[in-house]
Amino acid sequence: MKKADKIWLDGKLVDWDDARVHVLTHTIHYGVGVFEGIRAYRTADGRSAVFRLPEHLQRLFDSAHIILMEVPFPLERLHEACLETLRANRQPEGYLRPVAMYGYGSMGVGAINPVQVFIATWPWGAYLSDDGLKRGIRAKVSSFARLHVNVNMVRAKVSGQYVNSFLANREAVLAGYDEAILLDGEGYVAEGSGENIFMVKNGTIFTPSLASPVLAGITRDSVLRIAGDLGIPVVEQKFTRDTMYLADELFMTGTAAEVTPVREVDNRRIGAGQPGPITKKIQDVFFRAVHGEEQRYSEWLTYY
Ligand code: PPE
């Protein structure tokens, strides 16, 4: 990872190497923390903009609400802090990682310690490789199920939830695949370790609805809007693994993964085994939108 100059920690910008927390930070032990992943892009006119910053910060506060955490800064302050950090680091593009965590004080699962907040920013290229973005990735259905709604609450982007993602991703990568696809507790397709999933069949786009145990992805939401505006029919419903094998096209979405085509699942070629026309169209409009080249989506950008 390439170091930046500053990290915003509890209200001020500190040097990258000084952004430290105590080893008895509650969140390190129990995973009870919330976070976001946000991208900033250079826009076509030579400026820079953060993609859907208010929506990401709202989700951070929603995640905190779900886990009964009080974030000690108003949303507007964190909004400004994200922009301040990017400017201080002179980063025209990059990834932002705001985290709110229970700090140091008492120990024990139920201890309620002072909440600490930081925002780090760094350059991050294609999450599932440049080649994956262009030609599609190979995915594997995981032996790990996505968290059941009564086991954990995946509407919240909680640090501890990512043990499940980590196990699924490592299993897939160690088996020679690029990414894992997790099923829900009933066996229906849910999402990737860090991405939502979409399937195209006979010209219609399908994705699990938010009644499934999936993160309410902001890229997912952007893709639904783009598909609607392109006049492509979209159905939000769950589907099975074999239905997915028979898809014409498959792709994953996420802030880090952006819009990544999937060309193979469990050694079954998907469609023609290369990114299909609908995937390519959605990907193209998405990348134009983040780079400020789609006037109709200009409200998604916060320039800095
Ligand atoms: N599902 C999961 C489980 C998930 O972690 C992400 C984001 C998404 C769906 C897509 O959500 P959105 O980014 O709002 O479109 N995963 C973040 C973390 C990746 C990481 O490795 O760290 C991300 O993409 O930033």
Side-chain angles (χ1 to χ4, degrees):
M1 166 188 276
K2 201 167 166 290
K3 278 189 199 177
D5 284 350
K6 302 285 183 190
I7 287 177
W8 190 92
L9 175 63
D10 295 332
K12 35 183 195 298
L13 289 166
V14 300
D15 286 341
W16 180 279
D17 289 324
D18 295 337
R20 298 213 176 91
V21 295
H22 197 274
V23 292
L24 294 182
T25 293
H26 186 278
T27 299
I28 295 177
H29 299 247
Y30 309 112
V32 191
V34 296
F35 71 101
E36 273 303 315
I38 313 172
R39 272 191 194 267
Y41 293 90
R42 214 190 284 264
T43 53
D45 60 5
R47 293 188 290 162
S48 289
V50 182
F51 187 65
R52 305 197 71 175
L53 179 58
E55 291 89 340
H56 278 285
L57 291 175
Q58 186 56 54
R59 189 172 64 186
L60 183 77
F61 280 76
D62 289 350
S63 298
H65 177 77
I66 289 173
I67 66 160
L68 297 164
M69 174 185 272
E70 287 280 350
V71 179
F73 296 95
L75 188 150
E76 299 68 34
R77 178 73 187 97
L78 296 187
H79 181 111
E80 207 35 59
C82 285
L83 305 179
E84 271 169 37
T85 312
L86 285 166
R87 285 188 212 117
N89 289 329
R90 291 180 299 281
Q91 285 164 324
E93 58 193 359
Y95 187 84
L96 294 88
R97 169 56 52 83
V99 177
M101 60 194 173
Y102 283 117
Y104 160 57
S106 329
M107 287 311 282
V109 172
I112 300 299
N113 291 346
V115 175
Q116 293 192 269
V117 181
F118 69 81
I119 301 163
T121 66
W122 65 86
W124 208 356
Y127 188 62
L128 295 164
S129 84
D130 286 325
D131 187 64
L133 212 49
K134 210 176 291 157
R135 298 199 311 125
I137 60 158
R138 297 176 58 247
K140 179 191 189 310
V141 171
S142 184
S143 70
F144 295 97
R146 194 75 179 116
L147 299 156
H148 183 273
V149 288
N150 285 341
V151 172
N152 234 322
M153 295 175 283
V154 295
R155 196 65 76 248
K157 199 166 165 67
V158 173
S159 304
Q161 234 105 273
Y162 284 80
V163 173
N164 176 245
S165 290
F166 178 87
L167 291 172
N169 176 269
R170 289 308 294 157
E171 178 188 59
V173 170
L174 290 173
Y177 299 84
D178 302 307
E179 181 55 301
I181 295 171
L182 291 91
L183 307 179
D184 65 20
E186 290 182 281
Y188 292 94
V189 174
E191 62 178 337
S193 75
E195 309 86 5
N196 291 107
I197 193 159
F198 290 77
M199 171 183 94
V200 180
K201 186 72 181 178
N202 298 330
T204 298
I205 293 180
F206 295 86
T207 193
S209 82
L210 296 184
S212 287
V214 300
L215 189 72
I218 289 161
T219 320
R220 175 189 182 280
D221 180 74
S222 309
V223 163
L224 291 178
R225 166 90 188 273
I226 290 169
D229 290 345
L230 289 171
I232 304 167
V234 180
V235 180
E236 293 181 61
Q237 74 177 27
K238 50 192 181 187
F239 47 84
T240 55
R241 176 205 287 221
D242 50 0
T243 306
M244 177 171 68
Y245 291 161
L246 298 176
D248 299 327
E249 304 179 31
L250 202 64
F251 59 93
M252 288 177 148
T253 67
T255 298
E258 300 168 308
V259 177
T260 299
V262 180
R263 65 183 156 90
E264 201 183 293
V265 178
D266 294 346
N267 306 306
R268 276 89 167 168
R269 198 182 56 236
I270 300 299
Q274 57 189 44
I278 292 184
T279 306
K280 287 208 293 216
K281 183 71 199 165
I282 299 271
Q283 198 186 40
D284 178 57
V285 176
F286 174 78
F287 279 120
R288 288 177 52 79
V290 301
H291 291 110
E293 296 169 288
E294 288 280 344
Q295 193 46 45
R296 78 197 309 179
Y297 305 124
S298 57
E299 86 267 13
W300 285 346
L301 302 181
T302 303
Y303 287 89
Y304 62 96

